[in-house]
Amino acid sequence: MIAVVSPAKTLDFETEHSLERTLPRFQKEALELIDVLREHSEPEVKNLMSISDQLAQINVERYHNFTKKKDPVHSRPAIFAFQGDVYQGLQADTFTKEDVEYSQSHFRMLSGLYGLIRPMDLIQPYRLEMGTKLNVNGYKNLYEFWGDRIANQLNKDLKKQGDNLLINLASVEYFKSVDLKKLKANVIDVDFKDFSNGEYKVVSFFAKKARGMMSRFIIKNRLTNVDDLKSFDYEGYYFDDKNSTNEILAFKRG
């Protein structure tokens, strides 16, 4: 079983971690993208990513500070660097060494810059959402750029661990980067709904956090099959059998 999630815009590159690190498998591709991003001015980055002047300035500086060194001073393992809603639910800082080691085989983060990241892969500060319409050496956007590379790497990772079960906890924007025609996996989507204003519906913040909590549930309990996921009960969520199918596991709260 491998669970995949989206990355986060909020980053922490200050906290130190001493566990063994790894290098991203798509470092070459990341550097190719950085070279393209370096050609963009602050106004161009602002328009390309629909961000503020301040964020454009920060990210242009990040692109120019990006280094080819294997272990740059300003890099951190991805599972600790990302700090958004999903990662609030994941709570990686509570993981034991054994949890982190298990996650290295069973947890993946999709990324516009790095493609597919393992938890202990060293990443540098960046912002590049998968939906960005960045022209890269003949490719009109990042989906075309990544093509079938992410799916092929997931196939290798699944084969190495001995099964074909992929738990999709990523957003639509990011999971679109996985070429499902090339993916040799049984994909299970997970749906989280909260009771709000008289009905059950997806509440973005809670759903994102729940994806992280489900990832933590998988890692902490060393889960290996779909039925095990149905016992997920963090922070009041419960399995919704009526609205679940063979392809979608539904959970409710409230």
Side-chain angles (χ1 to χ4, degrees):
M1 178 187 292
I2 290 180
V4 295
V5 299
S6 304
K9 299 184 187 76
T10 306
L11 305 172
D12 173 12
F13 279 82
E14 302 300 325
T15 308
E16 294 291 340
H17 297 279
S18 59
L19 296 174
E20 184 177 350
R21 296 107 181 272
T22 50
L23 296 176
R25 275 87 59 91
F26 293 116
Q27 184 78 353
K28 174 177 172 290
E29 288 81 356
L31 291 171
E32 183 179 351
L33 290 169
I34 287 294
D35 284 342
V36 173
L37 288 166
R38 281 174 173 162
E39 298 173 357
H40 289 67
S41 65
E42 288 182 19
E44 289 172 335
V45 169
K46 176 184 176 180
N47 291 331
L48 180 69
M49 300 185 179
S50 299
I51 55 179
S52 66
D53 291 332
Q54 182 180 10
L55 284 174
Q57 179 183 0
I58 289 171
N59 283 287
V60 166
E61 290 175 359
R62 285 172 172 173
Y63 305 144
H64 286 281
N65 290 334
F66 207 93
T67 176
K68 295 181 179 180
K69 292 181 180 179
K70 289 186 176 181
D71 191 1
V73 174
H74 60 285
S75 66
R76 292 288 181 274
I79 197 173
F80 300 115
F82 291 130
Q83 293 292 310
D85 300 335
V86 171
Y87 300 86
Q88 289 182 28
L90 181 66
Q91 296 181 14
D93 286 334
T94 69
F95 285 3
T96 64
K97 180 182 178 182
E98 292 73 24
D99 291 335
V100 173
E101 289 173 350
Y102 185 82
S103 74
Q104 188 74 353
S105 296
H106 298 271
F107 183 65
R108 295 288 181 268
M109 291 150 280
L110 297 167
S111 165
L113 182 65
Y114 289 99
L116 187 70
I117 313 175
R118 294 170 296 185
M120 293 307 291
D121 282 353
L122 286 173
I123 65 170
Q124 299 178 55
Y126 79 96
R127 179 168 178 152
L128 183 61
E129 295 176 51
M130 190 64 80
T132 304
K133 294 180 180 179
L134 181 69
N135 293 309
V136 186
N137 302 330
Y139 300 104
K140 65 182 180 182
N141 55 46
L142 293 176
Y143 297 116
E144 284 193 4
F145 174 79
W146 285 112
D148 61 3
R149 282 180 272 202
I150 294 174
N152 289 338
Q153 187 60 61
L154 282 169
N155 288 337
K156 292 176 183 176
D157 290 348
L158 287 165
K159 183 177 180 180
K160 184 176 181 180
Q161 68 162 35
D163 69 23
N164 71 337
L165 184 58
L166 188 73
I167 310 303
N168 174 26
L169 295 164
S171 66
V172 173
E173 173 189 350
Y174 277 89
F175 200 67
K176 276 174 60 180
S177 67
V178 181
D179 187 342
L180 296 181
K181 292 181 180 178
K182 296 295 179 67
L183 186 67
K184 301 173 183 177
N186 178 22
V187 178
I188 303 296
D189 293 315
V190 186
D191 182 45
F192 297 99
K193 290 184 178 178
D194 281 79
F195 193 75
S196 177
N197 295 325
E199 62 179 332
Y200 285 99
K201 59 184 178 182
V202 175
V203 180
S204 181
F205 168 75
F206 293 132
K208 289 178 181 178
K209 186 177 179 183
R211 292 169 191 161
M213 291 192 294
M214 175 63 84
S215 301
R216 175 158 51 100
F217 183 70
I218 291 169
I219 293 166
K220 284 286 188 181
N221 293 286
R222 312 290 193 264
L223 302 190
T224 58
N225 64 69
V226 175
D227 285 339
D228 291 336
L229 296 176
K230 296 176 183 179
S231 60
F232 174 75
D233 60 357
Y234 286 5
E235 295 193 9
Y237 282 103
Y238 60 92
F239 179 62
D240 178 12
D241 183 66
K242 181 180 179 181
N243 290 296
S244 296
T245 67
N246 290 334
E247 292 80 32
I248 301 175
L249 295 183
F251 291 85
K252 287 182 177 178
R253 181 173 63 175

